[in-house]
């Protein structure tokens, strides 16, 4: 059961391209949005109860619309209560098979397996997609659910699962996968008996999911050594929950402040979710200051090179890698970024080198502190970035969400006017990126495609 799914189907077309004139220091304040990678899972968690749930701090991004569309197909009533607050209520699951329209769209349908098994005893979910960053199999998800008593049938493009009742099990994940941890949590909270998830991921977004589940009545312990212990309960209640701020968006704006030698306050930014990022930022010459409403980011001294290795929390997030790589083009000396989460997450660097003049060399070697899972496997997963390089404006095509902000940042740094297409990828995960960047002085306009 090693279904792998690397290509994301965008479910949308570009609404516009961006024209960005770079070289302007960004100054001002923006509000952090709620985290895409928390709220989408929390929306799935609402399927665990037949009572209404209210989520606040919900970002108005394409990804949220897609997940709400999926829920509506299953019988969920969706009501927006305000710009960022949504009420979701699934009194009855009216449909247990999510349509193939959602095949290859995102990682969310596979997370619905546990809740739908509890509500209906069976479900068919389409296989997930992801970004063009690696194979992204779902073997850990399926093996864990099978251990908990799910019968799994692989069909082309979808997975059918059924059970009389899920039971607790001791699942040891081969790698602390975010999605597999969430999947098993969502299955375990209403399973019979106790589930232990060893080698679990404990990202802040997962902790936020746990907080929401706990409010719903779930019994979950976060034990030492990445171990989650879940005592199943028969039913869960409705909940009101405020989604955690998006630490990827916050780091993106921090990188923009430092790269353009400006000063940006991100309201709602939390230091405790950014410790590793802030260390890296400080190493290269960036600074931060706590403010009444969040954190302010700026350049503290001329930027210099550093070495970074992405890793599972509390390590340096793989989703911070792209803005940081662009930022390092503006740091003196040669930096190394060793990507250990995904095997193919530097594809975007080619356009930066070829079109914008960045000096980025990719290698298959592990140049970090440790040999990672991609050691001797022929994946270009380490980047050597030499700066300071004045970037040239260019026409860029965004290949995936996080690379998208990297390109926007490169355009903000470059002299001249760049055009960026593929903006649908960026807008899937960043709320109002154009308005927010314009609010801090970026010369960015949209043009219809
Ligand atoms: C989540 O993906 C995020 N996506 C990703 O953000 C993020 O980069 C990633 O976690 C790591 O932090 C969402 O939350 C929707 P994983 P996920 O399972 O859960 C391997 C973004 O731009 N693996 O932790 O899919 C996998 O191939 C996205 O917002 C298996 O081998 O990530 C990868 O190498 C991009 N088998 C590693 O584990 C499995 O069954 C980590 O993946 C599962 C995972």
């Amino acid at each position: 059961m090693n279904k792998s799914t690397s290509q994301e189907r965008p479910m949308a077309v570009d609404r516009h391209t961006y024209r960005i004139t770079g070289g302007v220091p960004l100054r001002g304040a923006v509000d952090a949005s709620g985290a895409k990678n928390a709220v989408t899972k929390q929306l799935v968690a609402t399927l665990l109860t037949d009572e209404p749930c209210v989520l606040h701090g919900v970002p108005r991004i394409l990804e949220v619309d897609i997940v709400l569309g999926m829920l509506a197909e299953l019988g969920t009533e969706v009501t927006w209560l305000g710009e960022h607050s949504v009420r979701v209520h699934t009194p009855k699951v009216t449909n247990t098979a999510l349509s193939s329209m959602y095949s290859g769209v995102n990682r969310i349908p596979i997370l619905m397996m546990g809740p739908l098994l509890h509500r209906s005893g069976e479900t068919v979910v389409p296989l997930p997609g992801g970004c063009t960053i690696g194979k992204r199999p779902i073997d850990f998800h399926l093996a864990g659910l099978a251990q908990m008593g799910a019968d799994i049938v692989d069909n082309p493009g979808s997975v059918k699962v059924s059970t009389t009742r899920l039971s607790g099990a001791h699942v040891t994940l081969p790698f602390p996968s975010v999605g597999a941890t969430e999947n098993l949590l969502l299955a375990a909270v209403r399973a019979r008996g106790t589930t232990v998830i060893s080698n679990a991921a404990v990202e802040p977004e997962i902790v936020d999911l746990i907080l929401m589940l706990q409010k719903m009545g779930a019994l979950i312990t976060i034990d030492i050594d990445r171990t989650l212990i879940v005592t199943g309960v028969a039913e869960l209640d409705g909940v009101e929950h405020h989604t955690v701020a998006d630490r990827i968006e916050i780091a993106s704006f921090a990188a923009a402040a430092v790269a353009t030698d400006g000063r940006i306050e991100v309201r709602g930014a939390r230091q405790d979710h950014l410790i590793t990022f802030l260390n890296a930022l400080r190493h290269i010459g960036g600074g931060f200051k706590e403010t009444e409403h969040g954190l302010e980011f700026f350049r503290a001294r001329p930027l210099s090179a550093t070495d970074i290795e992405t890793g599972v929390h509390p390590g340096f997030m793989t989703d911070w890698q792209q803005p940081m790589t662009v930022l390092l083009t503006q740091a003196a000396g040669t930096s190394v970024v060793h990507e250990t989460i995904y095997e193919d997450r530097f594809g975007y660097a080619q356009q930066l080198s070829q079109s914008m003049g960045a000096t980025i060399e990719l290698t298959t070697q592990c140049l970090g502190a440790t040999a990672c899972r991609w050691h001797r496997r022929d994946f270009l997963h380490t980047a050597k970035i030499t700066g300071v390089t004045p970037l040239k404006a260019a026409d860029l095509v965004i290949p995936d969400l996080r690379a998208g902000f990297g390109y926007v940042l490169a355009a903000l740094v470059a002299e001249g006017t760049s055009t960026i297409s593929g903006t649908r990828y960026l807008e899937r995960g960043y709320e109002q990126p154009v308005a927010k960047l314009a609010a801090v002085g970026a010369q960015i306009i949209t043009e219809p495609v």
Side-chain angles (χ1 to χ4, degrees), residues 36-37 41 136-137 139-140 177-179 319 341-342 402:
K36 165 181 94 74
N37 290 347
K41 327 300 174 62
R136 306 187 77 182
D139 48 343
F140 307 162
S177 152
V178 169
D319 303 291
I341 301 295
Y342 292 113
R402 303 301 167 195

Side-chain angles (χ1 to χ4, degrees), residues 50 128 267:
D50 58 11
R267 292 181 291 240

